[in-house]
Amino acid sequence: MRNKIVAAAIAAVLGTLSVVAHADDANINTFSDLFTQGHVDGELRLYDFNRTYDYDVAAKPSARAFGGSILLNAQTASLDGFSAGASLVSANSLGSLADNPKRVDTTLMGANDSLTALSQAYLQYKNDWVMARAGYQYLNTPWMGNSDGRLLPNSYEALSTVFTPITGWNIIGIRELSYKSRTSDDYFNDNNYYAALYEGDTLYGGNQGLPLTAKQTSGTWALGSTYVNGGLKAQGWYYDFLDFARMGYADGSYVFDTGTGFNPVIGLQGLTESGGGSDNVLVANKLKINNIAGTNVKSRVWGADLGVVIPNGRFDLMYNKVEKETGSVIGDGSIISPFTASYATDPLYTTSMIRGLVEAGPGHATKAKFSYDLFDKKVQLVAAYAKYTTDLNGSFHDTYFDIIYNFDGFMKGFQIRDRWEKSSGGLNNLNPGNQPFTYNRVMLSYKF
């Protein structure tokens, strides 16, 4: 309810904002100038998602979802570094929901015909050194981000700060308090391990393993640092997913400029997790991750990427290893990832469109990926193949194709995209009936 009331107020404010660039402080002479010299942009989306199972039975039939959405973003002009922003989002199935609920792909926008939410409503202070933002907002970190592959993105109630001591170096601090998933209409003290309809949350597409009686999570603390200089990109993060796990993560890559147009790339990443005890929500509820419950969280992961940037394209060979842990460890060492689990939006090199080692558990994976641009980047092509060998879910492989067309001229901002992936193999009904599973996502969007 609180979300809907604030959304109505923000909608009224949106009408006072101009579709122009931000004004300088010097141009702000009255209170109304904050709004009339503000900025509005947005996006229209029309998505058609189809899950096709080779093993199609009544208990797990092939599923589809179709719908459209609008995302509106507004920000006031800045006064002495202070500004305010808001985003309204709304999705609708356009009367396309199947009569059989099991045939609805609820990951697109949930199980209802429509969904409207306030995805941002924040106050911000910004100068050359610091940006601080408080309220509902989008976050962009490796393990806590927008997961923006559906009609609506994830968002968070949080306090975030970014300190920039020198160009290219950022230090980020975040205290997340509540979470709005991409199928939720409000903010809740939960994450992707909770069940759909937990505390009334229309949370779909996550693991949904915790019972409705599980205690609420206390949120997340995060501290990170990113650095970019020439061909070097590096970042390090610490997350305390309160009541779930503590994670340390780092990755870095370097592009060697040879001056020939063919530039080698090397990348490395690593992760470690710990946690447990009676206060841990997973432990207290004996939740089985990849069919294994436990009393402790422990995960160790590393990865490598060897690639080459070529004219208009890039080729990469990637590898990840998740160690199998002994003792009473949840998921035998599975990564605990409250905001990417089952979304397949984590930063591991080998994660595919459908899933990765976060979802499949300990083991190793290799992936080959080729991307190429045509016609001055109007057409973007991606092909990838990933092979997974896991300790708990057997071996499986994913084949992926992605084609994007970006319009220009008077249709600039309009994009058509088709993402297709087929997963084969695995055990324990990783794919229904352990048979191949194809996911095709047709995505039309227009940014304005």
Side-chain angles (χ1 to χ4, degrees), residues 40-51:
V40 174
D41 60 43
E43 184 176 357
L44 298 173
R45 297 177 176 179
L46 193 67
Y47 289 1
D48 185 18
F49 282 21
N50 287 271
R51 296 170 175 261

Side-chain angles (χ1 to χ4, degrees), residues 311-332:
N312 302 314
R314 176 168 169 162
F315 178 74
D316 292 270
L317 289 173
M318 296 166 280
Y319 179 85
N320 279 117
K321 171 69 172 178
V322 179
E323 302 289 346
K324 183 178 181 180
E325 305 295 344
T326 59
S328 185
V329 176
I330 298 171
D332 278 359

Side-chain angles (χ1 to χ4, degrees), residues 408-428:
D408 60 2
F410 75 95
M411 295 186 67
K412 186 176 182 180
F414 183 53
Q415 180 187 92
I416 298 177
R417 184 177 188 181
D418 189 2
R419 304 182 72 193
W420 181 96
E421 185 164 281
K422 185 170 186 175
S423 179
S424 302
L427 303 174
N428 305 318

